[in-house]
Amino acid sequence: VLIDPLLRPLYPKDLEGPINRLAGFLRQYWGGPPDYSAERGHPRLRMRHAPFAIGPAQRDAWLRSMIHAVQGGGLSADAESVVVEYFMNAAQHLVNAPE
């Protein structure tokens, strides 16, 4: 995200908050403690992303970043496949703008 010309404008200057929120959400989604919901309430991903224009190009750029991160994360091939599938579905769900 830091160097992606399509994604960087969607994020604040300081990426610490978005990084922590994404990590907390993913920990909770994949069975970790419910800290994300305790701090922020229901995830409501579509609502939280509504203020940002997310078209197919932004979706694809985010997916590239996430897939790159997952591939370097040391997961088994089966786990990696499940996580990538989740990201693909979630990214498509957040598209709210035409190309």
Side-chain angles (χ1 to χ4, degrees), residues 17-19 30 40 42 49 52 63 83 87 99:
I19 289 168
W30 295 105
R40 299 189 44 88
H42 188 280
H49 291 81
F52 309 102
L63 277 172
V83 172
F87 285 149
E99 187 65 49

Side-chain angles (χ1 to χ4, degrees), residues 1-11 57-58 61-62 64-65:
V1 168
L2 184 61
I3 61 170
D4 190 290
L6 288 173
L7 297 178
R8 189 64 186 112
L10 299 174
Y11 288 83
Q58 289 80 13
W62 185 83
R64 280 191 302 274
S65 290

